[in-house]
């Protein structure tokens, strides 16, 4: 009798612990997401930091140089893009111009302009903007804190990663330690290659399409082009949304402009699919488009829009673990992605 009661107590305790643990993880999902994002950022920077270290640059200085370079790129973007973008936004929300353009247009162009004008009239104004402005300020502050937390996590992980791997490996039988280290290195290499390649794609697509839209005379070309670059973060769905927006904006001018915009998007998409992706990403994650689409949709539904940034990296981690644990692949024999770094450098920094 006492033995049965003890087993029931242990089973209940385990069940309650699982439920409490699941609830705790759910409540901490934002923090865990930011930590995971920090690990991804660290994986992207590590080959560069290790390359500098082999040339005599201390790891701390190498990390600082990476962050300074990132700040420089952000400053360059703000200097080159934001003034033009702000001007275009002001023109876009100018109701007098919209009303005048709508009166002198017909067909689809007229319908689109009238629809935009009606929606702008519904926007709050005056004292009604105080509360939304306060909420936006609060959200912006939260985003800033999240960014700082992410980069702080990345910095700590650059220094603590090797010790963490050694700690985990020390808890396992000796014959499994090398396999665990190799698996960890492979995941790290895949995540780093994906981030570096995705960053290149965002810059490339945004720059090329903005230039193409400016040449064909598309209104708000820098806004539409920048949007097309940013939504490259969202596989499959992002490029479709960018193409639809470009065509819609083009229709406010003429069907010729809309056609030219759609052809520009199609040309960049074909160039990306058949030239850039194979050579830049080179199958860094090893995921099929169907798996990517499912991962993005599922994780976004479960955790919200922010989690779309983590969908593909998370799926890549799971796929690598399945390959190693279930399918029995040797992580040491898997090809190491080499985006922006020679294969020799990638392998040295990865192992």
């Amino acid at each position: 009798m006492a033995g049965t009661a003890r087993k029931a107590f242990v089973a209940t305790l385990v069940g309650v612990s699982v439920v409490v643990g699941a609830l705790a993880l759910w409540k901490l999902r934002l923090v865990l997401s930011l930590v995971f994002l920090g690990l991804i950022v660290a994986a992207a920077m590590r080959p560069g930091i290790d390359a500098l270290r082999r040339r005599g640059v201390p790891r701390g200085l190498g990390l600082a140089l990476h962050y300074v370079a990132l700040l420089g790129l952000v400053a360059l973007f703000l200097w080159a893009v934001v003034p033009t973008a702000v001007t275009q936004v002001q023109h876009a929300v100018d109701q007098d111009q919209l009303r005048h353009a709508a009166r002198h247009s017909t067909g689809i162009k007229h319908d689109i302009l009238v629809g935009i004008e009606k929606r702008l009239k519904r926007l709050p104004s005056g004292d009604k903007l105080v509360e939304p402005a306060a909420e936006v300020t609060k959200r912006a502050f939260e985003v800033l804190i999240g960014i700082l937390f992410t980069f702080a996590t990345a910095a700590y992980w650059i220094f603590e990663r090797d010790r963490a791997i050694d700690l985990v490996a020390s808890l396992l039988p000796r014959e499994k330690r090398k396999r665990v280290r190799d698996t960890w290195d492979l995941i790290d290499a895949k995540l780093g290659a994906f981030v570096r390649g995705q960053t290149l794609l965002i810059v490339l697509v945004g720059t090329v399409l903005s230039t193409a839209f400016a040449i064909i005379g598309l209104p708000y070309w820098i806004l539409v082009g920048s949007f097309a670059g940013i939504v490259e973060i969202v596989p499959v769905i992002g490029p479709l949304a960018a193409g639809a927006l470009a065509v819609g904006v083009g229709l406010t001018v003429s069907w010729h402009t809309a056609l030219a915009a759609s052809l520009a998007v199609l040309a960049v998409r074909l160039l990306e699919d058949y030239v850039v992706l194979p050579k830049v990403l080179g199958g860094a994650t090893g995921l099929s488009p169907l798996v990517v689409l499912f991962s993005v949709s599922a994780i976004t539904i479960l955790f919200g829009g922010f989690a779309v940034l983590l969908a593909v990296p998370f799926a890549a981690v799971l796929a690598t673990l399945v390959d190693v644990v279930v399918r029995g692949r040797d992580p040491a024999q898997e090809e190491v992605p080499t985006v922006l770094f020679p294969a020799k450098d990638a392998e040295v920094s990865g192992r």
Side-chain angles (χ1 to χ4, degrees), residues 221-239:
W221 51 272
I222 201 165
L223 294 177
V224 181
S226 298
F227 174 79
I230 292 172
V231 296
E232 281 293 317
I233 296 174
V234 186
V236 184
I237 301 173

Side-chain angles (χ1 to χ4, degrees), residues 264-289:
V265 173
L266 179 61
V268 170
R269 189 69 217 176
L270 292 176
L271 179 67
E272 181 180 344
D273 288 341
Y274 293 100
V275 178
V276 178
L277 282 178
K279 294 189 176 298
V280 173
L281 286 178
T285 59
L287 301 176
S288 68

Side-chain angles (χ1 to χ4, degrees), residues 263-350:
L263 291 176
V265 173
L266 179 61
V268 170
R269 189 69 217 176
L270 292 176
L271 179 67
E272 181 180 344
D273 288 341
Y274 293 100
V275 178
V276 178
L277 282 178
K279 294 189 176 298
V280 173
L281 286 178
T285 59
L287 301 176
S288 68
L290 180 60
V291 172
V292 169
L293 181 59
F294 174 80
S295 301
V296 169
S297 303
I299 291 181
T300 303
I301 291 172
L302 287 174
F303 299 104
F306 165 75
V308 71
L309 297 174
L310 308 176
V312 176
F314 184 72
V317 172
L318 289 182
T320 304
L321 292 176
V322 168
D323 284 341
V324 174
V325 178
V326 179
R327 302 176 65 186
R329 290 190 176 182
D330 184 358
Q333 300 300 320
E334 295 292 313
E335 183 179 355
V336 179
T338 58
V339 180
L340 293 180
F341 291 93
K344 182 177 179 181
D345 286 350
E347 292 177 5
V348 170
S349 63

Side-chain angles (χ1 to χ4, degrees), residues 164-174 176-177 180-181:
I165 295 176
D166 291 339
L167 176 61
V168 172
S170 67
L171 302 175
L172 300 172
R174 187 176 299 275
K176 294 183 179 180
R177 293 177 184 177
V180 169
R181 287 192 176 94

Side-chain angles (χ1 to χ4, degrees), residues 24-42 145-147 149-151 153-154 191 195 299-300 302-311 313-314 317:
L25 289 176
W26 180 255
K27 290 294 185 181
L28 294 173
R29 64 187 183 277
L30 178 58
V31 175
L32 295 176
S33 298
L34 291 176
V35 170
F36 184 46
L37 185 59
L39 302 187
I40 295 171
V41 172
I145 294 298
I147 292 173
F149 179 84
T150 299
F151 282 104
T153 301
L191 293 180
V195 173
I299 291 181
T300 303
L302 287 174
F303 299 104
F306 165 75
V308 71
L309 297 174
L310 308 176
F314 184 72
V317 172

